[in-house]
Amino acid sequence: MEHQEEVINPALMLAVSRMKENNNLITQNKMIEEALHARFLVPCMVQVKPGTEQESNRNSENTQMNFSMVKNPEGVSYFMAFTDTGEAEKWKEFNKQKVLFMIMTFDDLGDLIRRAGDQSNGFVLNPGTTNVTFQKHIIAEIIVNRNKAIAEGKIKDVSSRTAADEVRAEVEENNKDEA
């Protein structure tokens, strides 16, 4: 995986570890929150249309991306997502296939799963080691609820201390009006 941007997710891995130690709604929500901010390495194979191998411009007409999936013992298929280069390399060594890894977000994975239809039931985080699955229906619910919260103004991007103080004052003012 040379020449690839490094992907690491220590906060997500800590949240996964805490959830596995004490699986409850609080630890699950913390893991989901960290997954929403994470970037993942997703294995894929690139196939080019015969005769276009030498073309420098790649597009959907001459290139096809096939994302790797894994099946659980019940035969249910999941896309794979790795939290860091080390986890991806473990799978790559075991798998012995020539694959590339795309960097994707939670939303990217959600879109990939949606487009796969009935072929995928979600994605599995670090198959073979961590083995945390995100089911298709849960992913859709997470995205809808997050988008709903943003639309209702419950989530605000605060990038400075001044902005944070303004948001805090606004919330306090709204709470006084409601009391």
Side-chain angles (χ1 to χ4, degrees), residues 5-171:
E5 187 177 337
E6 187 170 3
V7 172
I8 57 172
N9 292 293
L12 174 58
M13 292 309 296
L14 178 61
V16 167
S17 176
R18 287 186 175 155
M19 186 203 66
K20 285 187 169 196
E21 289 172 6
N22 186 15
N23 191 354
N24 60 49
L25 194 55
I26 293 169
T27 57
Q28 289 172 11
N29 285 337
K30 182 62 177 168
M31 182 195 63
I32 290 168
E33 180 184 326
E34 293 300 337
L36 287 169
H37 295 97
R39 294 180 321 140
F40 304 98
L41 293 168
V42 180
C44 64
M45 296 176 69
V46 179
Q47 293 179 318
V48 295
K49 187 176 180 180
T52 66
E53 295 87 359
Q54 302 304 318
E55 291 182 17
S56 59
N57 292 333
R58 292 274 150 230
N59 59 45
S60 60
E61 293 175 11
N62 62 14
T63 308
Q64 182 176 354
M65 304 289 290
N66 294 314
F67 292 90
S68 300
M69 285 200 260
V70 65
K71 287 185 178 182
N72 69 8
E74 292 79 33
V76 179
S77 295
Y78 294 91
F79 287 107
M80 295 178 279
F82 296 94
T83 56
D84 58 71
T85 307
E87 289 290 335
E89 286 294 332
K90 287 178 197 174
W91 175 81
K92 192 174 176 181
E93 288 295 317
F94 174 76
N95 195 38
K96 305 276 191 236
Q97 283 186 328
K98 183 170 172 60
V99 296
L100 299 173
F101 288 86
M102 287 191 66
I103 298 174
M104 300 180 94
T105 64
F106 189 90
D107 287 339
D108 295 333
L109 282 162
D111 188 51
L112 180 65
I113 292 160
R114 183 188 54 77
R115 287 186 284 126
D118 292 338
Q119 294 178 9
S120 173
N121 197 46
F123 74 90
V124 60
L125 195 60
N126 298 334
T129 56
T130 307
N131 288 322
V132 173
T133 57
F134 285 80
Q135 303 291 324
K136 179 193 295 189
H137 67 281
I138 299 295
I139 295 167
E141 187 177 319
I142 291 167
I143 292 172
V144 165
N145 287 338
R146 184 196 56 212
N147 291 341
K148 182 179 174 188
I150 292 169
E152 292 175 356
K154 292 181 180 175
I155 297 176
K156 290 190 176 189
D157 184 17
V158 179
S159 56
S160 71
R161 178 78 174 149
T162 305
D165 290 339
E166 289 172 4
V167 169
R168 192 174 302 109
E170 181 182 325
V171 168

